[in-house]
Amino acid sequence: MLSFAEENYLKTIYHLSTTDKEDVSTNAIAETLHTKPASVTDMIRKLSNKGMINYRKYHGVSISDEGKKVALTVVRKHRLWEVFLVDKLKFNWDEVHDVAEQLEHIKSPLLIKRLDEFLNYPKYDPHGDPIPDENGEFQIKPKVPLSALDLNASGIIVAVNDSNSLFLQYLDKIGAYLGAKIKVLDKIEFDNSLEIMIDNKRTVFISKEVSENILITE
């Protein structure tokens, strides 16, 4: 049995390892978890002793097969709970992360299996991130930033790069949501902002930063 903190560390190391081909540094873990490098070093020692990670002094850590299995299970639970909170309890997509952070540590495999069945086996969470199945397998949608679309090109919103609540609230305000159809009407050379049409009915201007954080499939 792993503690909540140990599960959180494994999830963090897994996420960091998917974006970096090299071993994950203690500083990167500390920065992500907003903690001190000394605390990270203590936890790394514990996880290494349990066979959850591989640690090389002065190089960093990599997650072991067993650690990856645990991390994907935590990710699976987190994203299933987010779907439940949005679809069944009508939470907004900017409200679910913190609640799911608590629910992801529930240990009952049967509960999660029943939850998955109850939700009709969703493949993606409310932010467009893939949900691992019981075997840790998941599907990844091909996606590009909205900023990469050419003039007059269209696409469907499938995910967001930024799950910050203020950003998600902004998307709600302009009517952008997962599944919305976006067409690029104009690209402003001055600041690389975009004029877009949402669902063939609403026209809005968005900044370059916003367009880079909206992911679409063409």
Side-chain angles (χ1 to χ4, degrees), residues 26-61:
T26 54
N27 286 337
I29 298 170
E31 182 178 347
T32 302
L33 293 175
H34 307 292
T35 190
K36 297 178 181 178
S39 300
V40 174
T41 301
D42 290 340
M43 180 60 76
I44 284 174
R45 189 178 298 109
K46 292 179 182 178
L47 292 173
S48 180
N49 290 338
K50 292 184 178 183
M52 295 290 129
I53 60 171
N54 305 305
Y55 173 59
R56 293 191 303 158
K57 196 171 184 180
Y58 306 121
H59 288 83
V61 302

Side-chain angles (χ1 to χ4, degrees), residues 82-98:
E82 286 196 337
V83 174
F84 175 77
L85 291 167
V86 170
D87 288 1
K88 304 303 179 181
L89 299 188
K90 306 306 177 186
F91 278 68
N92 293 325
W93 65 346
D94 62 288
E95 298 174 325
V96 296
H97 180 75
D98 290 343

Side-chain angles (χ1 to χ4, degrees), residues 100-188:
E101 283 280 311
Q102 301 171 54
L103 294 171
E104 70 185 23
H105 299 293
I106 292 175
K107 302 297 184 182
S108 172
L110 179 58
L111 172 61
I112 302 307
K113 185 173 183 177
R114 295 281 175 84
L115 177 64
D116 194 17
E117 181 181 5
F118 176 69
L119 296 172
N120 197 27
Y121 308 104
K123 301 299 183 185
Y124 302 93
D125 74 6
H127 308 103
D129 293 317
I131 300 174
D133 63 18
E134 288 182 296
N135 299 315
E137 302 292 333
F138 52 86
Q139 301 176 5
I140 299 179
K141 293 179 182 176
K143 51 197 176 187
V144 296
L146 176 55
S147 57
L149 276 192
D150 293 330
L151 186 64
N152 295 319
S154 298
I156 303 296
I157 298 179
V158 293
V160 291
N161 262 339
D162 189 345
S163 294
N164 180 282
S165 61
L166 293 177
F167 178 65
L168 297 178
Q169 288 168 19
Y170 170 76
L171 294 184
D172 280 337
K173 184 176 181 179
I174 66 173
Y177 60 94
L178 294 185
K181 182 180 179 181
I182 305 294
K183 181 177 181 179
V184 177
L185 301 178
D186 196 10
K187 305 187 93 170
I188 314 303

